[in-house]
Amino acid sequence: MTDERDIISEAEAAVWGGDSQLIDLHIVDDEIVGTVPIERLGLMNPLEKSPWYDGAGVTREGVQAAIDAGRLEASPYPGYSFSGESEWDRVRHEERIAYLTVNKDDRPISIEFVDASGDTLEIDDGWHRLAAAIMRDEHDIKVAVGGYFRHSVMRLGAICRAYCVLGSPEAAETYWQGMPLESTEPTPFGG
C-alpha cells in the first residue's frame, strides 16, 4: 500500500544520527505517536532528579515503599499552581508513581522539540508515567511527538510514513525531492 512507504530511508536517518533500530511513528487520534527506547529521549531520570517543584527528593526506594505499603495515588497530578502552593509533596508523587507502576497507563507521554536546533526536548505531560516505566525496568515508552517534529529522526532514530507529516506520499515526494536531509532546515510541525 502506498501510504506505508518510508519518506526517510535508513541511510538518510544515519546522516541525522539515527541507527538501524528505526522507530515508526503514526498518526493516532490526531497525534504523532510511536514507541521509543527511553534512553534515546536523553531526559533526566525523574527518580534521580525531580522535575516537580513540589516533589523534590522522589526516589526509587520511596516509590517501592509506597508499593509495599499499598499507598497508591490514583488521582492525576493537577499540575502547577500559580500561587506556588500545592497539596502535593514528595510522598504523594511517590504514591502516584507507585500507582502507575502497579497499574500501567498506556497513554503516550507528550514530548516536544522546543527549539529549531533540536537540542531541547521536554516532556509536556507524562513524568509520572516515565518514572513508572523506569520502576518496571521497561526499555521503551510510547510517546506523542510535537514541536519541531523533524528532529525526531535525529534524536529518536524515527521514521515517519509519508501521510504522517505531509498528508500523502505524493506530497512527501514533492517536498523531499532534491532536498537532502542533512541540509534541510527544520520547520515546526504544521508550520
Side-chain angles (χ1 to χ4, degrees):
M1 179 173 191
T2 357
D3 283 348
E4 291 300 312
R5 293 184 301 158
D6 296 344
I7 61 169
I8 300 168
S9 70
E10 287 189 31
E12 291 168 323
V15 169
W16 276 63
D19 59 27
S20 60
Q21 294 179 306
L22 295 176
I23 307 306
D24 200 1
L25 300 174
H26 294 278
I27 291 186
V28 177
D29 297 328
D30 294 327
E31 290 186 305
I32 300 170
V33 177
T35 301
V36 302
I38 291 171
E39 67 180 15
R40 285 197 199 167
L41 296 176
L43 296 166
M44 68 182 175
N45 181 338
L47 298 172
E48 294 172 358
K49 183 177 180 188
S50 176
W52 307 283
Y53 76 99
D54 54 3
V58 169
T59 64
R60 178 180 282 275
E61 295 76 21
V63 174
Q64 189 60 54
I67 292 170
D68 295 343
R71 297 186 335 264
L72 308 177
E73 177 60 65
S75 301
Y77 180 55
Y80 296 100
S81 164
F82 288 112
S83 69
E85 296 177 20
S86 176
E87 295 178 11
W88 284 58
D89 57 13
R90 175 192 54 81
V91 172
R92 195 156 178 196
H93 281 282
E94 290 172 340
E95 292 169 349
R96 177 65 180 154
I97 297 165
Y99 175 85
L100 293 168
T101 301
V102 173
N103 303 284
K104 184 174 180 176
D105 184 340
D106 283 325
R107 291 177 302 137
I109 65 171
S110 177
I111 64 173
E112 183 171 348
F113 293 95
V114 296
D115 60 39
S117 71
D119 291 337
T120 308
L121 176 68
E122 294 180 356
I123 291 184
D124 288 335
D125 181 42
W127 281 109
H128 292 98
R129 282 172 274 155
L130 175 60
I134 293 169
M135 284 295 297
R136 289 189 301 271
D137 293 322
E138 293 179 359
H139 299 284
D140 301 322
I141 194 160
K142 191 184 295 183
V143 298
V145 182
Y148 289 87
F149 172 77
R150 296 269 316 276
H151 291 296
S152 64
V153 177
M154 180 173 51
R155 279 290 292 272
L156 306 179
I159 60 173
C160 183
R161 303 300 177 188
Y163 64 86
C164 184
V165 180
L166 300 164
S168 74
E170 294 75 23
E173 285 176 6
T174 301
Y175 181 79
W176 292 109
Q177 190 172 24
M179 293 172 51
L181 288 177
E182 66 269 26
S183 64
T184 303
E185 288 298 314
T187 55
F189 177 68

